[in-house]
Amino acid sequence: MAIDNAKLDRIVAEARRNAEQRELGYRERALKMYPWVCGRCAREFTRANLQELTVHHRNHDHDFNPPDGSNWELLCVYCHDNEHSRHIDHVRGGVMAVDEAPAATGNPFADLKAMMERGKK
C-alpha cells in the first residue's frame, strides 16, 4: 500500500493549525501564564493530571478574557466546583428556600422495629 504524502502533509498542517487555535484559547494561555498549582488548595499538577486543573473566571463571565489573565485563576476541579457552588448560594441569597427543597420520600426508620426484633433473637 502506497503512502499518500500529500494527504499526510495536509493532516499534519491541519493538526498544527488546530493546535495553534487551541493555543489562542484562554485555558492554554492561562496554563502558560500561571504555575500549575490550584489557587485554593495548593495542589500541584503535572502533565499526567493536568486535565484536573481548570481555569476559573473570577467574575464568572466566560466571555471576559483579558490578555493579561487578570480574570483567571487556576483551580483543581474540586475547588472549582466548590467556588461555583458558593457563587450560586451567594446569588440565591444563601440556603435553598424551604418551598424549593424537594419533599422527603423515604423513611429510614420504616422497618426499625422489625430489625430490632431480629437483633434480639
Side-chain angles (χ1 to χ4, degrees):
M1 184 161 132
I3 296 175
D4 185 351
N5 286 328
K7 184 176 181 180
L8 287 176
D9 289 342
R10 284 191 306 274
I11 291 171
V12 169
E14 182 179 353
R16 286 186 179 149
R17 276 192 306 275
N18 290 341
E20 288 169 4
Q21 285 297 319
R22 284 191 305 275
E23 293 285 334
L24 297 176
Y26 64 81
R27 183 172 195 276
E28 287 73 21
R29 292 187 352 238
L31 290 173
K32 285 181 179 177
M33 191 176 294
Y34 296 113
W36 294 356
V37 175
C38 176
R40 299 291 160 87
C41 68
R43 179 178 164 201
E44 296 182 15
F45 291 82
T46 64
R47 290 208 181 276
N49 62 355
L50 191 59
Q51 72 277 4
E52 296 175 26
L53 188 62
T54 64
V55 178
H56 172 64
H57 288 79
R58 294 173 194 254
N59 72 354
H60 298 275
D61 180 359
H62 289 238
D63 294 324
F64 182 60
N65 294 301
D68 66 351
S70 59
N71 190 36
W72 305 327
E73 65 181 327
L74 297 178
L75 299 178
C76 71
V77 292
Y78 306 107
C79 291
H80 197 176
D81 185 50
N82 179 262
E83 176 61 30
H84 279 273
S85 295
R86 289 175 354 122
H87 177 70
I88 289 169
D89 286 347
H90 174 74
V91 169
R92 281 187 168 178
V95 181
M96 187 185 307
V98 174
D99 27 327
E100 289 180 26
T105 57
N107 182 353
F109 304 109
D111 200 28
L112 183 60
K113 186 174 181 178
M115 287 189 280
M116 291 175 71
E117 293 297 324
R118 282 192 300 257
K120 289 180 182 177
K121 293 178 185 179

